[in-house]
């Protein structure tokens, strides 16, 4: 019944007082944790939800509701559709029971949420910092990083949960992101922290300050797959960036179109070391070059 309790802190606190002792609280908390730590004001991140658990089922419901609300806002404001499948959804990489959800439905909005199985997805909010957003001062951010470092008794996963819970309250700079990416040793933790705070960066034009901290192109490719290829596109500093695009997906076709259009406006020779592999695995070296017509999104192959 916990998902029916209002989500304000006071109501949840009073509800948990119903547990008779600390032992019962520790028994119940792991099943309630997903709902208690869910931050609707910055929902960007990866989720693996057991739909047989009522609290995690409630988180899935909230994500789908939030997705539909953002989709309607984007359509009303006539924003370009940058979703993976052209359905204006903020959800990416949706899987249920280990199978891609898009094999069954075109959009998660058409899916009747079952009460069983593992629902795994990435959520990427379209929210961005307002024009006059002020980031944390360097001194305060460094103090936060030092405090996390000194808390050696806590696991990196716990530190990530704490950061996510306050992420909607702060904005950061690219240099702050660079410092945080360098703080986490494990690739999984580094990627999760990066994804959580990506929508909170106020000076995205300096994004190369933090992208150089990643060890490999494979890691950057995974991040683009989670955040979206258009969302993470380096609009102001695209030079020396390697792209691997699957033209089956809407946002990756849009990314390809932007690259060709940018090359036409600057210098077409800026596109280098390109090739194309068809669905049957046949490689095309594109000896005639990248078709200039691909600057028109409608003329891209799919």
């Amino acid at each position: 019944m916990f998902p029916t309790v209002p989500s304000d802190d006071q109501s949840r606190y009073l509800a948990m007082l119903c547990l008779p002792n600390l032992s019962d609280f520790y028994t119940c908390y792991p099943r309630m944790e997903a709902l208690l730590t869910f931050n609707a004001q910055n929902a960007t991140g990866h989720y693996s939800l057991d739909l047989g658990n009522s609290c995690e089922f409630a988180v899935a419901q909230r994500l789908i509701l939030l997705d539909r609300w953002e989709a309607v806002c984007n359509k009303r404001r006539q924003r370009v559709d940058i979703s993976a499948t052209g359905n204006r959804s903020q959800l990416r990489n949706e899987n249920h029971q280990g199978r891609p959800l898009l094999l069954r439905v075109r959009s998660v909005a058409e899916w009747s949420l079952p009460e069983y199985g593992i629902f795994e997805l990435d959520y990427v909010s379209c929210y961005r910092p307002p024009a006059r957003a002020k980031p944390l001062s360097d001194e305060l951010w460094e103090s936060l990083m030092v405090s996390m470092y000194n808390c050696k008794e806590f696991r990196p996963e716990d530190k990530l949960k704490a950061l996510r819970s306050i992420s909607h309250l702060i904005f950061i700079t690219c240099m702050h992101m660079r410092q945080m990416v360098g703080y986490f040793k494990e690739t999984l933790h580094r990627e999760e922290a990066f994804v959580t705070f990506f929508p909170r960066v106020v000076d995205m034009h300096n994004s190369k300050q933090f992208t150089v901290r990643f060890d490999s192109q494979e890691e950057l490719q995974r991040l683009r797959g989670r955040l979206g290829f258009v969302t993470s596109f380096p609009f102001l500093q695209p030079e020396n960036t390697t792209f691997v695009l699957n033209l089956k997906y809407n946002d990756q076709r849009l990314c390809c179109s932007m690259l060709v259009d940018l090359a036409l406006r600057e210098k077409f020779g800026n596109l280098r070391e390109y090739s194309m592999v068809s669905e049957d695995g046949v490689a095309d070296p594109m000896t005639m070059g990248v078709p200039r017509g691909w600057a028109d999104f409608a003329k891209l192959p799919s």
Side-chain angles (χ1 to χ4, degrees), residues 10 54 58 114 128 152 165 191 232 234 280:
Q10 296 84 355
S54 60
R128 293 296 178 269
K152 298 182 186 294
S165 68
E191 290 182 5
S232 57
D280 55 8

Side-chain angles (χ1 to χ4, degrees), residues 61-246:
Q61 287 182 313
R62 284 161 169 76
L63 285 170
I64 293 174
L65 179 61
L66 192 58
D67 170 58
R68 290 298 88 200
W69 176 72
E70 291 204 48
V72 170
C73 290
N74 289 336
K75 186 174 182 180
R76 185 177 299 166
R77 295 175 183 177
Q78 299 182 343
R79 292 172 177 166
V80 175
D81 180 9
I82 60 172
S83 63
T85 55
N87 56 10
R88 292 191 174 274
S89 176
Q90 308 301 128
L91 305 182
R92 302 180 60 84
N93 311 313
E94 309 100 304
N95 288 280
H96 181 245
Q97 295 288 68
R99 297 181 58 200
L101 191 60
L102 293 176
L103 294 177
R104 309 182 210 176
V105 291
R106 183 177 178 273
S107 170
V108 71
E110 303 171 1
W111 187 43
S112 179
L113 199 63
E115 296 182 6
Y116 66 90
I118 303 298
F119 182 33
E120 194 168 359
L121 70 148
D122 290 295
Y123 189 91
V124 185
S125 175
C126 64
Y127 176 83
R128 293 296 178 269
R132 296 185 179 181
K134 292 184 179 181
L136 284 186
S137 66
D138 294 342
E139 294 77 12
L140 188 54
W141 180 256
E142 289 173 10
S143 175
L144 178 60
M145 293 293 105
V146 170
S147 297
M148 285 205 305
Y149 178 79
N150 290 334
C151 295
K152 298 182 186 294
E153 66 272 22
F154 296 106
R155 302 174 303 164
E157 293 85 351
D158 298 324
K159 295 177 182 179
L160 283 169
K161 290 173 185 175
L163 284 173
R164 175 177 282 188
S165 68
I166 64 170
S167 61
H168 66 287
L169 299 173
I170 59 178
F171 296 106
I172 65 173
T173 65
C174 286
M175 189 55 69
H176 295 160
M177 179 73 88
R178 177 188 174 97
Q179 293 171 350
M180 183 172 60
V181 167
Y183 171 81
F184 290 98
K185 296 180 181 179
E186 298 296 328
T187 299
L188 180 63
H189 303 146
R190 186 165 57 240
E191 290 182 5
E192 197 60 39
F194 178 86
V195 169
T196 298
F197 280 90
F198 188 85
R200 314 300 297 180
V201 175
V202 299
D203 58 338
M204 197 57 73
H205 52 278
N206 294 321
S207 61
K208 279 199 172 180
Q209 290 181 341
F210 56 72
T211 54
V212 296
R213 294 302 299 265
F214 291 98
D215 298 330
S216 64
Q217 285 296 326
E218 289 76 15
E219 198 169 357
L220 286 171
Q221 187 72 9
R222 283 197 303 272
L223 288 169
R224 292 188 187 114
R226 291 183 60 180
L227 288 168
F229 282 75
V230 177
T231 300
S232 57
F233 188 85
F235 289 96
L236 298 181
Q237 294 180 314
E239 60 274 4
N240 300 319
T241 304
T242 301
F243 294 91
V244 181
L245 303 172
N246 186 342

